Amino acid sequence: MSVQDVGVMTPSKGQDYVAGLMAEVKAKNPAEPEFHQAVQEVAESLSLVLERHPEYRAHRILERIIEPERVLMFRVPWLDDQGHVQVNRGFRIEMNSAIGPYKGGLRFHPSVNLGILKFLAFEQVFKNSLTTLPMGGGKGGSDFDPKGKSDNEVMRFCQSFMTELARHIGPDTDVPAGDIGVGGREIGFLFGQYKRLRNEFTGVLTGKGLNWGGSLIRPEATGYGCVYFASEMLKTRKQTLEGKVCLVSGSGNVSQYTVEKLLDLGARPVTLSDSNGFIYDEEGIDREKLAWVMELKNVKRGRIQEYTGKFRKAVYTPLDTRIDYNPLWNIRATCAFPSATQNEINVKDAANLIKNGVTVVAEGANMPSMLEATRAFLEARIMYGPAKAANAGGVATSGLEMSQNSMRLSWTREEVDDRLHKIMIAIHSNCYETAEKYGTPGNLVNGANIAGFLKVADAMLDQGLV
Ligand code: NDP
């Protein structure tokens, strides 16, 4: 099929094209602001590519990438401990399978809706492409809130959720993993139900327990990978993390292992948060304190406020929704690792970070910076590692778990960590070089969006109009 055969959308400039595309995205996907935001950022970067490669425009690759291949939405009924019927909504967005089976996490959080999962699935397509591994993009989850639920309630919910999801996924089709609210406990219940329904023991989920198909380093991978990425950014300016004061938000999986790797590399992490507030420990969160936080969050399922009861010099600041910035991002530091959730850094927070001396922002969470905040980081020319590159270590190690499952063997901790480290180095250099090649040196947002896009776009061209 030639360029001429398929009808070219030919607005005169890249900007017009992006504006036209965004008008269509908003009209077709109303009330999905996070999805609009994610598409806008990518489309702006890609205007550089589409001008050089008219074949992508002609084949409407971007218009196809923003349309999920399949969206599943289903009822999840379950019984609570009082015997009352509860009903939640389940989702799986199968976004793009051009370079491999759909791959991406499941999020259980009351804020989950179609638009949030579409933004996450969209981001995942580019991220997975960057990992160098053959994985397509997907995302799923539910508005179920595991907080305050008993283990039995979580199990009944997971079993009901998987009863429907099982018919749509498989090791060569779609391989979910964890995300916010979905950790080892939930993956266990989901896997158990899948195995029971399908009567097969297979690598259909990643993040599994170590003695039933999981990979060493998978729990650590997103946080470790994000710190490896930050180190690579620093290397370009001949610096290291040694002695640097670091702000970390969140206190879940990504945050915990970000702190652990920062300690390994001699940095001083000083903050952690949850949805109620944050702690600031000026002396630094050391290994002993981190072990206590892990017990608090992963076993006792407590709140971060309790930290100050144990470590008296730390200060707790509760969330104050009346102010238009987050004081966590207003503390003097050199590096910031937003690792909680989307849009946790607004333009004022970005200005505060820059004002307080932050020169490295590595995003552990997905899309933690609003568009204006992203622009502020780029304008200030700080070392800014966007989520789809900086936090790709998690899904990359999921990819390594899939490989080990297929081969029915387990690599050592050192082997997986070494592969993860090399992947993060490769992602960084790919983004860095791509940014340079497309005329925006140092802009890793463009680098990540363009490099992630090219691999998927070329596969889509090769595979025809599907
Ligand atoms: P967890 O559920 O383990 O932890 C999430 C943390 O973020 C908790 O401290 C939680 O606080 C806080 N948080 C969640 N929602 C909000 C909110 N609306 N406002 C303020 N704080 C909030 O999740 P993960 O650590 O796995 O995920 C964190 C981020 O990293 C997400 O953006 C996720 O998409 C991203 N990510 C995760 C990967 C992984 O491998 N797990 C891979 C790549 C990205 P509280 O307990 O109060 O809810």
Side-chain angles (χ1 to χ4, degrees), residues 107-109 111 119-120 124 127 139 145 147 177-183 218-219 221-223 249-256 273-277 297-298 302-304 319 338-342 344 363-368 387 391-395 398:
R107 176 176 291 191
F108 292 169
H109 192 273
S111 64
F119 116 65
L120 288 163
Q124 195 83 44
K127 180 188 312 191
K139 198 84 188 187
D145 187 359
K147 265 201 230 92
D179 190 73
I180 291 177
V182 179
R218 177 59 189 90
T222 308
S249 64
S251 49
N253 172 269
V254 178
S255 318
Q256 293 169 15
S273 71
D274 60 25
S275 47
N276 299 110
K297 284 289 167 183
N298 307 343
R303 310 305 298 158
I304 202 65
L319 177 75
S339 309
T341 193
Q342 64 272 2
E344 54 172 311
E363 296 185 334
N366 283 308
M367 206 170 75
N391 75 26
V395 71
S398 278

Side-chain angles (χ1 to χ4, degrees), residues 3 6 42 120 187 212 259 288 295 303 311 327 358 385 445 456:
V3 169
V6 286
V42 169
L120 288 163
I187 293 289
W212 44 276
V259 169
E288 185 210 337
E295 170 84 8
R303 310 305 298 158
F311 306 106
V358 165
V445 174
V456 176

Side-chain angles (χ1 to χ4, degrees), residues 226-236 239-241 265:
C226 192
V227 177
Y228 290 147
F229 194 89
S231 294
E232 289 307 300
M233 291 196 291
L234 281 159
K235 235 186 243 172
T236 64
Q239 297 175 35
T240 70
L241 279 162
L265 299 185

Side-chain angles (χ1 to χ4, degrees), residues 161 183 205 242 273 305 312 320 353 379 387 402 413 426 448:
F161 183 86
L205 291 160
E242 180 84 40
S273 71
Q305 177 170 15
R312 299 283 177 172
D320 183 352
L353 285 164
E379 273 163 26
M402 289 163 74
R413 198 180 156 81

Side-chain angles (χ1 to χ4, degrees), residues 279-282 307-308 311-316:
I279 58 106
Y280 172 43
D281 187 341
E282 197 177 356
Y307 186 98
T308 50
F311 306 106
R312 299 283 177 172
K313 288 191 183 156
V315 180
Y316 177 70

